[in-house]
């Protein structure tokens, strides 16, 4: 497949990227051709999850214990969708 043929291939639909990002953290960024960003998101999810788990009081719910990781997870899902939508619109306008 030549470079011209690759550039004409449309990116994945943003809603599909959103669903993938929701179930597989960090993979949405990989699909958007930014694997380093996906790895960083996954790293920070794990690190902030561990930090908030260790700093949370004993009576805090499980959501509260992993609040830092869940916050980064939510940011990564929104980020994956945003960039997928950007790539989708850019491709749509260029064709």
């Amino acid at each position: 497949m030549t470079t011209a043929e690759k550039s004409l291939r449309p990116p994945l639909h943003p809603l599909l990227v959103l669903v993938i990002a929701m179930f597989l953290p960090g993979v949405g960024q990989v699909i958007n051709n930014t694997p380093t960003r996906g790895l960083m998101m996954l790293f920070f999810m794990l690190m902030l999850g561990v930090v908030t788990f260790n700093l949370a009081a004993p009576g805090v719910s499980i959501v509260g214990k992993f609040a830092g990781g869940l916050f980064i997870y939510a940011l990564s899902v929104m980020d994956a969708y945003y960039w997928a939508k950007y790539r989708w619109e850019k491709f749509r306008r260029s064709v």
Side-chain angles (χ1 to χ4, degrees):
M1 184 178 281
T2 65
T3 307
E5 290 172 347
K6 284 183 181 178
S7 65
L8 292 178
R9 193 175 66 199
L12 287 178
H13 195 278
L15 292 177
L16 180 60
V17 173
L18 177 68
V19 170
I20 291 170
M22 288 172 67
F23 290 108
L24 299 170
V27 177
Q29 282 79 12
V30 173
I31 291 172
N32 287 328
N33 295 327
T34 54
T36 305
R37 187 182 198 119
L39 187 60
M40 284 180 10
M41 292 280 192
L42 191 59
F43 173 74
F44 282 111
M45 267 184 256
L46 293 172
M47 290 308 299
L48 285 175
V50 168
V51 167
T52 55
F53 181 79
N54 288 321
L55 293 177
V60 176
S61 71
I62 194 73
V63 173
K65 287 186 185 242
F66 293 107
L70 292 174
F71 176 69
I72 301 298
Y73 165 75
L75 286 178
S76 74
V77 169
M78 290 186 298
D79 180 68
Y81 176 74
Y82 172 80
W83 286 108
K85 183 74 170 172
Y86 175 80
R87 291 176 67 227
W88 180 264
E89 290 297 326
K90 186 177 176 184
F91 177 79
R92 214 175 57 133
R93 293 174 198 269
S94 69
V95 174

